[in-house]
Amino acid sequence: LPPHAGARPAHEVHVSAPAARAEAGGAAGWTAAGMLSPVAELECADADVFQLGLRSLALWPAVLQRLRVPVEFRRDGSLLLAHRGDEGAARRVLGLLAHKLRDSAPELAPRAVDGAALRELEPSVRGPAHAWLLPDEGRIHTVQAMQALAEAAPNVHWHWSRTVLQAQPGLLRCDDGEHRFAHVFDVRGTGARPELPVRGVRGEIFWLQAPGLQLTRPLRLLHPRHRVYLVPRAPDLVVVGASEVESEDRSAV
């Protein structure tokens, strides 16, 4: 797509979804914490996903400018943190990131931050003994983004309560008939089964309201057993995650 990607006059976009409306839930975008973190995620991602993540970071500002509804978006980095005694887990992650970035983007490697610099970046963060800054990462309010795209994406035709039964190049077979397009993008996830061999993974988060807590950037704790992150949302919310459970169960946390 061109630099100002998204729905434009040159593109007539049709979106088909089985939900009755945008707020019906069930989509991962309503649960995701909204970290835009291609470098940190490189721990368990490949080079293609990493490059797509960098591209997405570059595209988001132009996409949001075209929406009439405001969306909380920041790109002032994220922090990796480790407590004293967890240096081994931290070194493993940092070494893996450095190795994967060595040939493609060594300038994006995590930068060590001392205690004084950490307090300047995030005054509310006092416990961890070690910190590293990923300066090019960011965050987006996923719920606001989903709502804004549904309400204000230009030149988009939404087809709610339409179930896609089969997606092929140039063709959608739906419960209300066949529809032909120049290009078809299949983003159904587990809804693409049995056509595609995909599986669901359960993610769990919770939101905290924390008046007076000053956080600017997403924080990831480098711990040998627990994957914990915090993502701030205006005005006084913090999204806390996350568990990754090999299950498609949708019951309460």
Side-chain angles (χ1 to χ4, degrees):
L1 292 176
H4 299 290
R8 304 186 304 157
H11 306 139
E12 181 178 340
V13 179
H14 292 257
V15 181
S16 299
R21 63 190 189 282
E23 294 81 6
W30 292 94
T31 304
M35 289 184 291
L36 305 177
S37 51
V39 176
E41 297 289 346
L42 192 55
E43 178 192 359
C44 54
D46 59 25
D48 290 338
V49 172
F50 171 65
Q51 292 298 330
L52 289 171
L54 293 180
R55 179 67 172 145
S56 295
L57 265 174
L59 287 174
W60 266 118
V63 171
L64 297 178
Q65 277 187 343
R66 299 187 59 80
L67 301 178
R68 298 186 299 272
V69 180
V71 176
E72 183 182 346
F73 169 82
R74 295 189 62 139
R75 189 181 178 184
D76 41 19
S78 68
L79 284 166
L80 305 176
L81 305 172
H83 289 290
R84 186 170 287 106
D86 292 338
E87 292 88 351
R91 282 195 297 269
R92 184 193 68 79
V93 173
L94 294 168
L96 181 59
L97 294 180
H99 173 73
K100 289 188 172 184
L101 291 167
R102 181 179 56 197
D103 297 327
S104 59
E107 71 281 3
L108 299 181
R111 305 174 187 175
V113 174
D114 62 21
L118 176 60
R119 285 189 293 273
E120 184 175 347
L121 289 169
E122 299 290 350
S124 293
V125 177
R126 297 295 179 91
H130 310 282
W132 297 266
L133 176 66
L134 304 177
D136 292 318
E137 299 200 327
R139 59 183 174 88
I140 190 169
H141 194 308
T142 51
V143 175
Q144 289 180 357
M146 296 278 282
Q147 291 172 329
L149 289 166
E151 295 173 15
N155 207 40
V156 174
H157 306 275
W158 298 92
H159 303 280
W160 304 112
S161 301
R162 175 191 282 176
T163 300
V164 176
L165 305 176
Q166 190 178 46
Q168 296 179 345
L171 175 67
L172 288 183
R173 289 192 171 92
C174 305
D175 55 0
D176 63 351
E178 294 186 353
H179 306 273
R180 296 190 176 276
F181 303 94
H183 303 282
V184 169
F185 300 89
D186 189 351
V187 293
R188 291 175 293 166
T190 56
R193 294 183 305 202
E195 200 176 338
L196 296 176
V198 294
R199 79 185 199 284
V201 177
R202 175 182 171 94
E204 297 177 336
I205 63 170
F206 59 89
W207 293 24
L208 291 178
Q209 186 173 26
L213 180 67
Q214 297 179 355
L215 287 181
T216 303
R217 299 163 181 81
L219 312 176
R220 291 176 184 263
L221 183 65
L222 301 181
H223 187 275
R225 293 186 304 279
H226 306 298
R227 293 180 177 270
V228 180
Y229 60 70
L230 308 178
V231 182
R233 287 183 178 172
D236 56 3
L237 297 175
V238 180
V239 181
V240 183
S243 57
E244 297 177 5
V245 184
E246 289 289 338
S247 169
E248 296 180 22
D249 174 42
R250 292 179 178 269
S251 62
V253 173

